[in-house]
Amino acid sequence: MCTATAEPRRPDRLALLLSGRGSNLQVIAQAIDRGALKATIVAVGSDRPEAAGVAWARVRGLPVHVHPRADHADRDAFESALFADLEAAQPDWLVLAGFMRVLSAATVRRWRGRMINLHPSLLPRHPGLDTHRRALAAGDTEHGASVHFVTEVLDGGPLIAQVAMPLDQTLEADQVGELLRPLEHRLLLEVVQWLVAGRLQLVGGQVELDGQLLRQPRRL
Ligand code: GRF
């Protein structure tokens, strides 16, 4: 007689949403390839057919779902179509990696605790767009990136982890973005590793890592 009980399945199914270059998607996919991330990318979604990340995902043979906003009558129709495709792939986690659309409150609520966003600033400083230029304009001496759970508050959900670097005021915003990019890659990969290992949870409105309340975002 077999008495073995089945191990709970690891939450290792990832869907990524992107609108641009897709370098974070590449980092995640390459970490999976080399065995550094035990996960599967079950869907890549985008609103931008011309995004470099979409082209890269297609070449890689990843399941890609593109829904241009202009193909749909309104935001709800756009989002329903995109999320119908994503949800059909049954992801455990949804990773917003440069997805440039604001999601509806209904979608955010449905994915509460299962959707994270990578944002290029040290939140709560500089939510929204154009963060490198705004950090320079504000005279910030430190800048960085954050990963947070997504809530209805734009770029305002509970923070999970951050990376920081000194901000050289002589640089242009684009140069700041280039310097920050490898740090963002490291940050996102580490947080996704926590997710698929079942180490990270949103409990109530608070983040727990390894069962411990995270009072401050983890600095990586
Ligand atoms: C990153 O800088 C991220 O912080 C922001 O969008 C960018 C995505 O980069 N939200 P990529 O498309 O993954 O290269």
Side-chain angles (χ1 to χ4, degrees):
M1 190 175 72
C2 177
T3 55
T5 48
E7 289 279 313
R9 188 180 66 77
R10 290 172 77 251
D12 61 359
R13 297 171 66 82
L14 305 176
L16 282 89
L17 277 173
L18 58 84
S19 301
R21 175 186 345 230
S23 66
N24 285 278
L25 168 67
Q26 293 185 31
V27 164
I28 301 264
Q30 286 158 359
I32 292 171
D33 287 349
R34 64 174 192 276
L37 176 64
K38 300 202 179 332
T40 307
I41 298 172
V42 296
V44 175
S46 184
D47 58 326
R48 299 266 310 277
E50 71 281 15
V54 165
W56 190 88
R58 288 210 165 107
V59 169
R60 280 283 308 224
L62 293 170
V64 181
H65 307 281
V66 181
H67 290 275
R69 168 65 184 82
D71 287 2
H72 300 276
D74 54 30
R75 184 178 78 172
D76 285 351
F78 155 73
E79 226 176 84
S80 297
L82 179 59
F83 274 75
D85 282 349
L86 293 180
E87 288 170 8
Q90 300 188 304
D92 296 302
W93 306 107
L94 229 161
V95 179
L96 306 184
F99 183 62
M100 300 306 286
R101 298 264 162 200
V102 177
L103 295 171
S104 68
T107 296
V108 168
R109 276 199 293 272
R110 198 165 65 252
W111 279 88
R112 188 179 168 84
R114 296 185 298 142
M115 173 157 50
I116 61 168
N117 180 46
L118 171 64
H119 181 79
S121 80
L122 288 173
L123 291 169
R125 286 190 74 67
H126 313 305
L129 299 175
D130 224 359
T131 56
H132 311 316
R133 189 191 55 73
R134 286 160 59 214
L136 288 166
D140 292 1
T141 54
E142 187 183 49
H143 186 49
S146 307
V147 174
H148 63 92
F149 281 109
V150 177
T151 64
E152 287 97 320
V153 184
L154 183 67
D155 299 327
L159 290 166
I160 300 167
Q162 295 182 317
V163 281
M165 64 179 198
L167 184 57
D168 177 349
Q169 286 286 336
T170 66
L171 296 179
E172 300 291 331
D174 286 356
Q175 296 172 304
V176 174
E178 291 299 319
L179 281 178
L180 187 59
R181 186 161 301 116
L183 277 67
E184 289 189 296
H185 293 162
R186 182 165 59 79
L187 170 69
L188 185 65
L189 177 57
E190 176 117 23
V191 172
V192 171
Q193 282 167 331
W194 295 346
L195 287 175
V196 300
R199 296 177 57 192
L200 195 59
Q201 294 190 68
L202 186 65
V203 181
Q206 295 184 308
V207 179
E208 283 187 9
L209 179 61
D210 297 328
Q212 302 288 315
L213 182 65
L214 212 56
R215 293 182 192 284
Q216 303 283 339
R218 188 60 69 84
R219 278 281 174 122
L220 299 177

